[in-house]
């Protein structure tokens, strides 16, 4: 079985909305409000090296697909790996031909089947709504969180009511950086 990892930039109050840009009033909060330190993003490079597939929702796909294919140095591995877009509304014709190896999945059951297959880790970027659905379905195995020392107050949150009460996480890696960002890697503890 493949490991499904949700990777997020998250504010201290749990918001994952528009960390690099978007519609949130404080869009871009990861670089506008916190000093940049290259070492904070080491985990992002590691994710790209270790993952063998990417899973994203429709909105994240529509934000990433016009940009990432042209970022050949920054996202070489992501651009080459299979990308699975979970959407009930997006049609095959909407997939950007320049972003190769993209496939549509129509349900969490299809995600579960993908996870049951052979291969390495599947990484989920962005896609707060998808991440909540995956958690509610018991499909998330690990969280890679970069917690930024900002309070946004409103916006899409990673953990909602759908996450389910009583989900237990085991901290397996952490680091605190000089700019106040905290890396926290959690494994989901399964009952039994």
């Amino acid at each position: 079985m493949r490991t499904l990892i949700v990777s997020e930039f998250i504010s201290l109050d749990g918001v994952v909305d528009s960390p690099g840009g978007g519609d949130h009033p404080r869009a871009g909060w990861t670089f506008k409000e916190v000093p940049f330190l290259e070492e904070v993003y080491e985990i992002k490079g590691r994710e790209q090296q270790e993952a063998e597939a990417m899973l994203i929702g429709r909105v994240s796909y529509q934000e990433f697909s016009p940009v990432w294919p042209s970022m050949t140095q920054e996202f070489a591995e992501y651009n080459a790996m299979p990308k699975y877009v979970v959407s009930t509304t997006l049609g095959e014709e909407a997939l950007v031909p320049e972003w190769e190896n993209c496939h549509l999945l129509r349900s969490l059951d299809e995600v579960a089947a993908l996870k049951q297959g052979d291969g390495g880790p599947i990484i989920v970027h962005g896609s707060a709504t998808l991440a909540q659905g995956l958690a509610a379905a018991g499909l998330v195995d690990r969280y890679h969180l970069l917690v930024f020392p900002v309070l946004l107050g409103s916006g899409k949150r990673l953990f909602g009511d759908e996450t389910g009460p009583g989900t237990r996480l085991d901290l397996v890696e952490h680091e605190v950086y000089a700019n106040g960002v905290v890396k926290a890697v959690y494994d989901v503890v399964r009952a039994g």
Side-chain angles (χ1 to χ4, degrees):
M1 181 177 341
R2 302 173 82 172
T3 302
L4 195 144
I5 302 166
V6 171
S7 179
E8 296 284 352
F9 297 122
I10 187 167
S11 70
L12 194 57
D13 57 346
V15 176
V16 294
D17 201 340
S18 306
D23 295 333
H24 192 276
R26 288 170 61 190
W29 48 269
T30 59
F31 62 89
K32 290 180 181 176
E33 300 188 30
V34 178
F36 175 81
L37 288 177
E38 188 172 335
E39 57 267 27
V40 170
Y41 301 93
E42 172 277 332
I43 194 167
K44 295 299 176 190
R46 188 169 16 129
E47 288 170 351
Q48 196 172 167
Q49 295 295 317
E50 294 174 358
E52 290 189 10
M54 184 185 337
L55 184 68
I56 53 178
R58 177 189 53 82
V59 173
S60 293
Y61 174 78
Q62 290 172 325
E63 290 175 359
F64 295 170
S65 64
V67 180
W68 283 27
S70 65
M71 300 178 80
T72 55
Q73 286 188 320
E74 299 88 340
F75 298 123
E77 289 84 1
Y78 285 143
N79 287 331
M81 73 177 57
K83 291 162 284 296
Y84 298 91
V85 183
V86 182
S87 174
T88 57
T89 58
L90 197 66
E92 290 281 343
E93 72 284 351
L95 295 179
V96 177
E98 296 78 26
W99 209 18
E100 299 174 9
N101 211 359
C102 289
H103 313 277
L104 281 175
L105 299 178
R106 297 296 185 190
S107 69
L108 292 179
D109 288 339
E110 289 185 36
V111 174
L114 176 67
K115 192 177 166 198
Q116 292 296 323
D118 293 332
I122 302 166
I123 193 83
V124 180
H125 281 293
S127 305
T129 303
L130 175 60
Q132 286 182 6
L134 294 167
L139 296 173
V140 177
D141 299 300
R142 176 173 275 197
Y143 291 95
H144 288 183
L145 306 177
L146 287 177
V147 183
F148 284 73
V150 296
L151 300 174
L152 299 175
S154 66
K156 294 177 187 170
R157 296 183 184 281
L158 178 58
F159 302 108
D161 294 340
E162 300 83 27
T163 304
T167 300
R168 190 167 156 307
L169 305 174
D170 186 22
L171 182 66
V172 295
E173 181 182 343
H174 66 282
E175 191 162 350
V176 179
Y177 301 98
N179 62 357
V181 173
V182 175
K183 172 178 63 181
V185 176
Y186 293 98
D187 282 343
V188 175
V189 177
R190 305 272 186 235

